[in-house]
Amino acid sequence: MKLYTGYLAIHKFESELERELELKGLTVCKKKDRLYLVEGEHPPMIWAQTTGFNMQFIEITSIKDGAKKLKALGRNWGLFTVDFHRRAQLIQEELPKFNQKPIPFRHPLPEKAMGLWTLWEPNQILGTPQTSSPFALGEMTFQEDKVIPPSRAYLKLWEFFTVYAPEAIAGGTSIDVGSCPGGWTWVLRTLEFQHIISVDKSPIEKRIMDLGRIEFKGESAFGLDPKDFAEIDWFCSDIICYPERLLNLVKRFKDSGKVKNFVCTIKYQAETDWENTLKFLEIPGSHIVHLHHNKHEVTWFLKGAHP
Ligand SMILES: C[S@@+](CC[C@H](N)C(=O)[O-])C[C@H]1O[C@@H](n2cnc3c(N)ncnc32)[C@H](O)[C@@H]1O
């Protein structure tokens, strides 16, 4: 039986996934809408919102037969539907229900594996019980705080600390560059850092400043000298700038040996800057992900840079 790795591209970023697969030397052998299949076993991609491992084609004779065959493989199934919607929905309705409600910040992730399936033909399912995300189709949502944070940018840092750094222990110093109007600074404040250095050319909102323990520097982040800082536990950046400028800033702080962990948004203009994105990945131990709350941008992180 042939097995495939299935990459579900992020809506509107299909060409980014196609370029990424090409850069990795992977050939797409089949495609349905934004679901791309590559033969064999391969790792997740930045621009896939979820990756299905060992996907297989399964012949079915009826709706009940389809549901029975999926249930035999796993419990939780996220449906990606392109064609034959009604029939696909009827199969989905026969499958066990699962909780897909928005979660609170830093809530433990679902432990059960999440499957991915689509009705490829009326009598043929493509599916796998094992994907890269515990959320159906990789779509995670939060119980949002619509009162305190001054912008929705905080959701990126919520997602990062919930999914990629749940073990992060606060209490030390964090720096937030490109911090206005204050969403990320607010998240760092709720994480109980003792000292939060917030840097932007524009001020953050007063009500965030008033929470205390925040030192605001009204200047360009690119003029910061690591020599002027003591140890930094988390260096966070959401600056709007060219990726190359951010890369140089990050390298300066990393080379200083003063920063333990980094989380930075790499933002793109019209085109995705692959050249500098790949340079970020050359920094040992680092990762790049496209968070569910990222737009035309990705999140670079490095944990334990200087333990
Ligand atoms: C997307 S916003 C940040 C939103 C913020 N993370 C939040 O949660 O509210 C990007 C910020 O980068 C800032 N920025 C752009 N160039 C900068 C520079 N050279 N130094 C510091 N901040 C800069 C802008 O002023 C803007 O406030």
Side-chain angles (χ1 to χ4, degrees), residues 56-301:
Q56 52 177 298
F57 285 98
I58 304 161
E59 304 303 322
I60 61 168
T61 53
S62 64
I63 288 164
K64 284 221 173 317
D65 184 48
K68 192 174 136 208
K69 285 180 173 158
L70 287 175
K71 278 193 271 189
L73 291 174
R75 187 193 183 278
N76 293 343
W77 291 94
L79 166 64
F80 176 61
T81 168
V82 181
D83 305 315
F84 327 114
H85 293 291
R86 181 79 189 122
R87 190 167 165 82
Q89 282 301 345
L90 289 171
I91 295 174
Q92 185 73 17
E93 280 164 25
E94 296 276 324
L95 297 173
K97 307 279 173 278
F98 55 86
N99 185 350
Q100 186 73 339
K101 288 194 200 124
I103 61 169
F105 178 39
R106 301 195 93 191
H107 191 269
L109 299 181
E111 281 174 10
K112 285 214 166 63
M114 178 55 70
L116 168 66
W117 78 281
T118 188
L119 201 52
W120 197 271
E121 297 290 346
N123 284 328
Q124 190 186 47
I125 279 172
L126 170 77
T128 174
Q130 205 69 40
T131 60
S132 58
S133 171
F135 300 99
L137 308 187
E139 291 169 359
M140 83 166 305
T141 51
F142 283 109
Q143 289 170 15
E144 295 188 25
D145 186 327
K146 296 202 166 136
V147 182
I148 305 177
S151 74
R152 298 191 82 242
Y154 77 97
L155 290 166
K156 293 185 275 189
L157 211 49
W158 266 22
E159 183 175 345
F160 173 73
F161 280 115
T162 302
V163 178
Y164 297 98
E167 77 294 345
I169 306 161
T173 298
S174 58
I175 180 164
D176 175 18
V177 296
S179 59
C180 171
W184 282 34
T185 294
W186 170 73
V187 173
L188 296 169
R189 180 63 183 79
T190 64
L191 278 173
E192 299 291 332
F193 281 98
Q194 285 306 311
H195 184 196
I196 299 136
I197 304 161
S198 182
V199 184
D200 202 299
K201 290 187 278 187
S202 309
I204 61 167
E205 289 204 0
K206 183 179 174 302
R207 62 204 174 83
I208 304 296
M209 272 308 286
D210 288 347
L211 296 171
R213 296 193 208 152
I214 299 166
E215 176 192 350
F216 181 74
K217 287 178 181 284
E219 59 190 89
S220 170
F222 300 110
L224 297 176
D225 188 338
K227 281 200 214 85
D228 299 332
F229 296 87
E231 295 266 296
I232 297 167
D233 295 276
W234 279 91
F235 178 103
C236 308
S237 169
D238 197 26
I239 305 181
I240 295 180
C241 66
Y242 288 108
E244 191 175 11
R245 281 200 98 184
L246 178 65
L247 179 65
N248 292 335
L249 178 67
V250 156
K251 280 189 172 165
R252 201 139 44 88
F253 272 84
K254 182 173 177 307
D255 292 346
S256 74
K258 288 188 174 170
V259 182
K260 282 191 193 146
N261 309 285
F262 292 84
V263 52
C264 303
T265 312
I266 306 174
K267 296 177 188 251
Y268 303 117
Q269 308 287 316
E271 296 289 314
T272 299
D273 178 347
W274 279 102
E275 188 186 336
N276 284 296
T277 303
L278 296 175
K279 284 188 187 161
F280 269 96
L281 278 178
E282 283 169 13
I283 300 175
S286 63
H287 302 269
I288 293 183
V289 291
H290 185 279
L291 302 173
H292 185 62
H293 295 93
N294 276 141
K295 295 178 187 136
H296 190 205
E297 56 188 21
V298 291
T299 299
W300 171 81
F301 65 95

